[in-house]
Amino acid sequence: MNSRSKLSRWYIAIAEFGALIIDGVASIYVHSLLGLSGVSASFWLVVIAVAACSLIDENNNNEIILAFFIGLIADIYYLGFIGPYTVGLTLVSWLCQNITRILPDVFVVRVPVIVVCYLLFDAFFWFILTIASTISISFSQVLWGMIANAILALILASLSYPLFNLLGREYPFAIKMNYYK
């Protein structure tokens, strides 16, 4: 039982890291499945994982620290420089923890918040990469992409929210649950 409780403190971190790996694999296929000229969607399950876990466990500041380190890993692996994921995921986590205090704890309220965070992250990501001259995508293409991203985020959030809800409630990140049982 003791080894299980030590590992269970890391379930959310493992799930968010798994979401990051799924992002890399699925983004190749999701982009090509759309088949729309000039419109693309960004597959960011990790943004949904960070937002959902932060909405559910709003008093755990370890969630913000976890989002920072997941973002750092993503920046180093995917981009080669530190910035968009590190800052963006940390801000998403912080925003979700602060906004959840005024929202009811129901699925139909939390999923739209996750979609809005997804779109804010997408806009922030585009802005940072445009300033860094890494990409050159026009703002109009980004706006059309936001529609595709909103639909994709709604689907991903609706499908994955039960898993992250369970993890956030039963296995909060880096907290010993022995004292509560």
Side-chain angles (χ1 to χ4, degrees), residues 4-77:
R4 177 180 150 92
S5 65
K6 286 182 182 179
L7 181 61
S8 67
R9 290 184 280 171
W10 292 91
Y11 285 171
I12 288 179
I14 293 167
E16 288 183 8
F17 186 71
L20 187 62
I21 292 169
I22 291 170
D23 285 354
V25 173
S27 63
I28 296 168
Y29 300 110
V30 170
H31 183 72
S32 64
L33 284 177
L34 284 176
L36 303 172
S37 60
V39 178
S40 64
S42 303
F43 190 92
W44 283 319
L45 186 59
V46 71
V47 175
I48 292 171
V50 166
C53 291
S54 295
L55 283 171
I56 293 159
D57 196 9
E58 75 270 7
N59 294 320
N60 188 355
N61 289 333
N62 294 329
E63 294 286 343
I64 298 172
I65 295 167
L66 176 62
F68 174 82
F69 282 108
I70 291 290
L72 189 64
I73 291 168
D75 276 337
I76 291 170
Y77 183 75

Side-chain angles (χ1 to χ4, degrees), residues 132-147:
S133 298
T134 307
I135 61 169
S136 64
I137 300 173
S138 69
F139 188 67
S140 63
Q141 286 179 316
V142 171
L143 288 178
W144 281 108
M146 290 281 196
I147 296 168

